[in-house]
Each structure stands twice: as structure tokens, then as C-alpha cells.
Amino acid sequence: MIYQIYPRSFADANGDGIGDLPGITARLDHLVELGVDAVWLSPFYPSPQADAGYDVADYRDVDPLFGTLADADRLIAEAHDRGLRVIVDLVPNHTSSAHRWFREALAAAPGSPERARYVFRDGGGPDGDEPPNDWTSVFGGPAWTRVTGPDGSPGQWYLHLFDPGQPDLNWDNPDIRAEFLDVLRFWLDRGVDGFRVDVAHGLIKQADLANWREPQEILSGNEADRPRPPMWDQDGVHEIYREWRRLLDSYDGGRVLVAEAWVEPAERLARYVRPDEMHQAFNFEYLQASWTAPAQYAVITRSLEATDSVGAPTTWVLSNHDVVRHASRLGLPVGTPRPNGIGIGDPQPDAALGLRRARAASLLMLALPGSAYLFQGEELGLPEHMTLPDEARQDPTWERSGHAERGRDGCRVPIPWEADAPSYGFGPTDASWLPQPPMWAEYAVDRQREVPGSTYELYRTALRLRREHGLGRGTLYWLSSGDEVLSFRNGEVSVLTNFGDAAAPLPAGAELLHASAPLTDEGAVPADVTVWFRAA
Ligand code: BGC
């Protein structure tokens, strides 16, 4: 089980309102108590923070906001002392516009080797004042920005699939490949156990940069019934990961690569985890599946079949720093497309129903064979911050979409540790880079620890049983897959989730091991509840 730490929002040791590496180190015991096997840290490298650190200006250092390289070394060592593995984020699709390479590219002439590290093109139209193609940025607006020469005259355009502060690298250039192999070595030598590879499906673009004509969905991959977009999931990316895999395999200790690739269908995603490529890939099809028995049955079955076909473990994820937290998402009417943020004036989810379903979904997920990824705060049942003032928003999506998309700030709010402390224990002061809602107190760790029935204890028990019964390495056998109830067995543990309205009976003689909510007086499983049991 891998726990995602979003460093800005986990724990703030110096009280400046932004979480930091010493803050994480000081809270590692929480993760041990919870039952985590590995942590994945979102980026902490020097960055202008145009996209919360996914705009990296130097791949071999730590931003002073988060600490120093010595703090990173200490965090890795202290995690290892506790038996926790450490995965860091690698952002190879783009650098920051503040990276030395991009500054050199701007200072150099069109056609120069410096420009050839990025995707620079002359503009279209008679004066070159139209973008080279029709691609739009994932965050909204055009995917191209025109640069000005030293004399102020308009020049070429550069590609950025995300923010203008994130110019895309040209992965056809051997210099880029050599540089990233060296960055990998830098962190492997410091002892990290692996890398989560950002936008792993985007590095290679179709050579002709053909027009796409479709609106750019946020990090959408290709669906089975549509042509593959020219910027995503091009076959050339796999050669890069094969080379990385050879490097990782030359290190001891089983270092891993995890693909963040928004690629559908599952068979295409499975190509990223063939035996000589990455070890795991995030399963976003699972994250996006509706809360119905047939939809969950279909996505679980497809995911297992696809990864089995290449001999890789399946992964499961319900929340991360890019999506509305599942305790809120699942409170929207079933079938609602996944919103990009929720704010004041938007249809609000049913909070109680959302939490009930989220607990059932998490318990279902944690019984599945494969690797489960948790996002900090979900073990507290934390909802999305849905009344964040728009002035406080920092995700570039909000501005670039012309305020059409709220963006991802609502899931990134600093998490509560102590109900009665300043910033709910996030740091020693009241400072918090995004405001925390007043109701955060009730979710604080110290309000839930040792409290029977709390979401924190639900996760703790689930993770303990998952480990004891070896569920992550188990095999799934379906027991039933109806329209309302799903049931399967993984080793000695049987699981039943009730998606319907009426209570569902347990098999006679079932011995209850764990449940996401109390059973009915008759011992049946109520609506939106998952139970783990041992069959008679
Ligand atoms: C990260 C996002 C980021 C984007 C661009 C993603 O997939 O998870 O947070 O905005 O890559 O780097």
C-alpha cells in the first residue's frame, strides 16, 4: 500500500503555512501506525511553483520552501529505519520555464541546439502570429506561447501541454535522454526506492504535430472508440522506459517505476508495465468508474485481465492531488461525470452519503489483489474543500480556463492533525497556504485515533488485515456479480459490497472480519456498505 504525500499540505515544521520535508519526517510514525508500506512524495524540487512544483527548475535539489537536500536525505533515512519505502516524483514531460535550459533556449536563435531541447516552431499565418497547430493546454487556452527576441520582436512559439511555465521537452533529442538517466542516478544514489513518472504517456508527440481539433480533456488518454490523440500514448514512449528499467535493474533493492498515464482502455495501459518497462501504472479507469455493481465489476475484471496479460500487478486508486476527493465525489448523483473541482454555487454533493460510499469503496479497494494507492487525508474521510473562496485558488486551471473550471485546490488543503491546535496541527502557526474549512476539526487525527468506527480506525484495521491475509498478493474469485451486490473471495477473506437500496444477506455462518458501517439488526449488509468475512 502506497501513501501519497503532497508535501505542501502534509505537515509544516517551520510555520510558514507550506508543508515541508522536516514536517513529513516528524510525522512518519503516523504512517507506521496507519500501516503504510511506502510513501510517494509529490515534487519538492526548486520551482517557481507555477503548477505547485510540477514545474521543476532543478531536478537535483530541494526548493527552500520544502527544506534542503540534507532534509531529503534525513527523510529517506528515517523512513527506511521504519521500514517505509520512498518513491519520489519525476517530471520528465516538461521543465519549468525557469530551468537553465529554457532560459538558454530563449537566449539562443531559432534552429540552435539550445532550442532543440524543447518544441519550438515558427508560427502559422502570413506573419507567423498564429500558433503552429490547434492544440490546447490541459489547463485551458492554447498549448503554444510565442516568445519575443532580445530586441522585443515577436519570435517562435513553444509547446506547453500544461501551463506556459511548463515548456514541453523534446524527447527525440538524445541530450534529454542522457540528462534524465543522470537525474535518475542522482536520486537512486541517494537511496530512493523508485519514481512516480509524471505524464508518462506524453513524452513523445506524433512527429507531424498534426492538428487534433478536439477539446483537450484534463489529462485524458485515448478511449477505445476514438483515434489516438497526437500528443498522448505514442508508441515511442516505451523505448524510454525500457532504458530506465535497465538502469533501475542495475541497482539493488528492487527499485520501481510507476506510470502516471491517463490511458484507456486497460489493454493500452498494460503496455506500460510489460516485463521490461515500468512496474506499475495508475489505474484511472478504476478511479473514474461509477458507483454501481456492474460498473465496478467490469472495471475490476478488465483491470485484472489486462495486467495479468503482461504479468504485472494491478493498481487501485480512488483519490489523488488532481481529482475531487472520493468522500465528496461519491456524494454526487451516480453517473455524474467527474468534476474538475467543486466550489460555491456548484451542485454540492450529499456529504453523509459521500462518506458512507467512500468508506465502502475504500474497503472494497483494500481487499483487491494488487497495489493500492491512498492520498493523504483519505484515511480521515476528508472531504473536498467545496467552499474555497475563488480568490484563494492557486491551480492555474482556474485562470486559464477563464474561471470555467475550479481546478484542483479543493483536494490539496492542508490536512488536520489536532482539532484544537493552530491550523489543526498542520503547523505551529495558523498559517495555511490554502484556507482550511472550520469543519476540519472533526476530521483531525486526534479526534479519530482509538475511536471505534472512525474512518481512521476503519483504514487501520483494514490495512492490518490486508497485511495479515496477504490480500495485496492474493487472487480474486468472484462469488456473485449481480446488479446490486458484488461479492468475491481473496484467499480466506470474502468481501461483499451492497450497491443497492435493500439490505443484502450474508451467507449463513459467515464470520464478520470488518465492515465499513454497522450491519442491520438481522445481520444483513445495508446499502452502500462493504463487509469482509470468513465464509463458513
Ligand atoms: C500531475 C499534475 C500536474 C501535471 C503536469 C500531472 O499529471 O499529477 O498535478 O499538474 O501532471 O505536470
Side-chain angles (χ1 to χ4, degrees), residues 4-88:
Q4 181 189 357
I5 295 182
Y6 194 65
R8 310 184 128 248
S9 304
F10 188 70
D12 174 20
N14 67 3
D16 65 354
I18 300 182
D20 44 42
L21 302 186
I24 298 170
T25 305
R27 295 284 191 187
L28 287 176
D29 288 332
H30 165 77
L31 302 177
V32 174
E33 179 183 275
L34 180 61
V36 167
D37 302 314
V39 293
W40 146 38
L41 301 163
S42 281
F44 47 71
Y45 315 107
S47 160
Q49 306 289 325
D51 182 23
Y54 281 94
D55 47 323
V56 179
D58 179 354
Y59 290 89
R60 297 181 185 80
D61 205 348
V62 173
D63 195 292
L65 270 181
F66 301 118
T68 62
L69 260 185
D71 291 329
D73 289 341
R74 193 165 144 247
L75 166 50
I76 296 167
E78 297 248 355
H80 286 167
D81 283 350
R82 290 166 174 77
L84 298 169
R85 290 161 65 83
V86 179
I87 294 172
V88 296

Side-chain angles (χ1 to χ4, degrees), residues 1 31-37 363 366 374 456-472 493 512-514 532 534:
M1 193 284 282
L31 302 177
V32 174
E33 179 183 275
L34 180 61
V36 167
D37 302 314
L363 212 54
L366 292 173
L374 305 188
Y456 180 67
E457 292 300 330
L458 177 83
Y459 271 76
R460 251 180 103 181
T461 303
L463 291 169
R464 178 174 57 74
L465 292 171
R466 178 179 165 85
R467 191 183 294 237
E468 281 170 17
H469 291 276
L471 300 182
V493 177
L512 194 65
L513 297 172
H514 201 20
W532 294 6
R534 210 190 304 259

